[in-house]
Amino acid sequence: MTEKHIVLEDIDPVVFYGVGNAHLQMIKALFPKLRIVARDNVIRVLGDEEQMAHFEENIERMRLHVLKYNSLGEEDILDIIKGRQTKLDGVKGVIAYSISGRPIKSRSTNQQRLVEAYEHNDMVFAVGPAGTGKTYLSIALAVKALKEKTAKKIILSRPAVEAGEKLGFLPGDMKEKIDPYLQPLYDALEDMIPAVKLQDMMEKHIIQIAPLAFMRGRTLSDAVVILDEAQNTTPAQIRMFLTRMGWNTKMIITGDLTQIDLPRTQKSGLIEALHILNKVEGIGVVRLDQTDIVRHKLVTRIVNAYEQHDKENGGNKDDDNNKLGREDHGES
């Protein structure tokens, strides 16, 4: 008789064992000659050495299935043990899977162009209006790289530019003041990585989320680096960020040129970078539009309405604001 301990690394044991340990009970029934005891992320196995080798091989395949798809079903367990391809293995074009097992893939022509630009370039600019999936798709590509071990870490950043609010009036210390700006990045990560695993990765700095100002002086190597909301960078800030690029690193810079929150006298660094770097080899530029919006259908209508308004009013926000202010006070 041989005893062995198998550690379920990088996955959530709850997903592996199933609700009420249903998956574990099924695995035990499929290997009746082995004594199997599970505790946390460790499986203790006692039995014949040949049977145990077969068991260990299948457990590893199940672990990899959970790591890739964030799910495991009874049908998957049977397919794996019988050496068959699982149902999810046959799905094409998937970048990553949500924690609920939902496939994350490109949903429009321009989103697919973003995926292809990432594959063929070390730096990609993704520019488009709200709801086109720029940030979410970029983070999915980064999570995929981490799981496939083509990158050792993910670094996510945003400029902490005030869109109407003032940092000084927000409660808490500096981290607590800045966190609201970074929340969309947390939201996307939480949709793709189980909470316990995400917390562990952040504590180990495998996933790092920081304001743009924290990037100065660093060299970012072996990583996928994403700069979100880049339209709110100054030319000096984006230049500083882009030159942080180290070996074996990919950068994705996303932005919406219709939502610049900088003072009107300040030029957007993203606009300048797109002009200067437009023809540099190794840099891809993907422009998304209203046809790529994947949020609620009203978002498309809202974006179109605002674009039409801007065209009719010459895009002069100061004039619009003054006009609205006069109307609120009963002036003409």
Side-chain angles (χ1 to χ4, degrees), residues 231-237 260-269:
Q231 76 276 2
N232 288 329
T233 60
T234 65
Q237 285 175 330
I260 298 174
D261 298 316
L262 295 167
R264 291 188 62 83
T265 56
Q266 177 65 66
K267 185 176 182 180
S268 168

Side-chain angles (χ1 to χ4, degrees), residues 225-262:
V225 186
I226 299 172
L227 174 60
D228 195 34
E229 300 287 349
Q231 76 276 2
N232 288 329
T233 60
T234 65
Q237 285 175 330
I238 200 166
R239 183 174 181 174
M240 175 275 293
F241 176 83
L242 297 179
T243 54
R244 301 304 94 199
M245 192 174 194
W247 295 107
N248 190 38
T249 288
K250 290 208 172 198
M251 280 188 169
I252 307 176
I253 299 92
T254 71
D256 178 359
L257 297 178
T258 68
Q259 293 189 8
I260 298 174
D261 298 316
L262 295 167

Side-chain angles (χ1 to χ4, degrees), residues 139-270:
I139 290 178
L141 289 166
V143 169
K144 179 185 180 185
L146 201 60
K147 288 189 174 184
E148 294 179 350
K149 300 189 185 302
T150 56
K152 293 181 180 178
K153 55 183 177 281
I154 297 173
I155 300 171
L156 309 173
S157 187
R158 268 187 163 204
V161 173
E162 301 161 7
E165 302 87 356
K166 296 293 182 182
L167 277 174
F169 289 103
L170 295 174
D173 59 19
M174 182 53 71
K175 181 183 183 301
E176 291 169 328
K177 290 175 186 289
I178 289 171
D179 268 356
Y181 290 100
L182 307 176
Q183 191 58 48
L185 305 180
Y186 289 113
D187 290 343
L189 285 170
E190 287 168 355
D191 195 38
M192 299 177 208
I193 301 174
V196 174
K197 184 60 183 175
L198 177 58
Q199 183 64 33
D200 181 61
M201 286 178 159
M202 294 184 73
E203 288 175 358
K204 292 178 179 176
H205 301 291
I206 295 170
I207 295 178
Q208 303 171 28
I209 304 179
L212 180 59
F214 289 24
M215 296 294 109
R216 186 172 297 280
R218 299 184 63 183
T219 299
L220 310 174
S221 300
D222 297 310
V224 178
V225 186
I226 299 172
L227 174 60
D228 195 34
E229 300 287 349
Q231 76 276 2
N232 288 329
T233 60
T234 65
Q237 285 175 330
I238 200 166
R239 183 174 181 174
M240 175 275 293
F241 176 83
L242 297 179
T243 54
R244 301 304 94 199
M245 192 174 194
W247 295 107
N248 190 38
T249 288
K250 290 208 172 198
M251 280 188 169
I252 307 176
I253 299 92
T254 71
D256 178 359
L257 297 178
T258 68
Q259 293 189 8
I260 298 174
D261 298 316
L262 295 167
R264 291 188 62 83
T265 56
Q266 177 65 66
K267 185 176 182 180
S268 168
L270 178 59

Side-chain angles (χ1 to χ4, degrees), residues 21-34 36 51 55 77-78 81:
N21 285 334
H23 298 162
L24 181 61
Q25 296 306 321
M26 182 180 181
I27 292 168
K28 286 181 178 181
L30 291 166
F31 292 90
K33 295 182 180 180
L34 297 175
I36 303 165
Q51 279 274 322
F55 174 81
I77 293 171
L78 286 173
I81 290 177

Side-chain angles (χ1 to χ4, degrees), residues 41-203:
N41 69 329
V42 179
I43 300 175
R44 178 172 168 264
V45 194
L46 189 67
D48 175 73
E49 191 170 338
E50 186 176 338
Q51 279 274 322
M52 197 177 296
H54 180 55
F55 174 81
E56 187 176 8
E57 178 184 332
N58 281 285
I59 290 296
E60 176 61 10
R61 289 185 63 202
M62 291 179 209
R63 186 191 72 82
L64 292 173
H65 187 279
V66 174
L67 181 65
K68 183 174 182 180
Y69 302 117
N70 283 323
S71 67
L72 185 69
E74 293 183 357
E75 188 178 338
D76 299 323
I77 293 171
L78 286 173
D79 286 339
I80 288 170
I81 290 177
K82 292 180 179 180
R84 300 190 301 232
Q85 186 181 56
T86 67
K87 180 173 62 178
L88 291 176
D89 288 333
V91 180
K92 303 297 183 183
V94 178
I95 300 167
Y97 284 81
S98 72
I99 57 174
S100 63
R102 175 178 55 83
I104 300 168
K105 55 167 68 175
S106 59
R107 295 171 60 180
S108 69
T109 301
N110 287 328
Q111 284 192 359
Q112 183 57 32
R113 285 179 182 148
L114 172 55
V115 174
E116 292 169 359
Y118 172 84
E119 291 172 353
H120 295 105
N121 298 278
D122 288 336
M123 184 178 291
V124 178
F125 286 84
V127 182
T132 51
K134 307 180 299 295
T135 302
Y136 193 80
L137 205 61
S138 298
I139 290 178
L141 289 166
V143 169
K144 179 185 180 185
L146 201 60
K147 288 189 174 184
E148 294 179 350
K149 300 189 185 302
T150 56
K152 293 181 180 178
K153 55 183 177 281
I154 297 173
I155 300 171
L156 309 173
S157 187
R158 268 187 163 204
V161 173
E162 301 161 7
E165 302 87 356
K166 296 293 182 182
L167 277 174
F169 289 103
L170 295 174
D173 59 19
M174 182 53 71
K175 181 183 183 301
E176 291 169 328
K177 290 175 186 289
I178 289 171
D179 268 356
Y181 290 100
L182 307 176
Q183 191 58 48
L185 305 180
Y186 289 113
D187 290 343
L189 285 170
E190 287 168 355
D191 195 38
M192 299 177 208
I193 301 174
V196 174
K197 184 60 183 175
L198 177 58
Q199 183 64 33
D200 181 61
M201 286 178 159
M202 294 184 73
E203 288 175 358

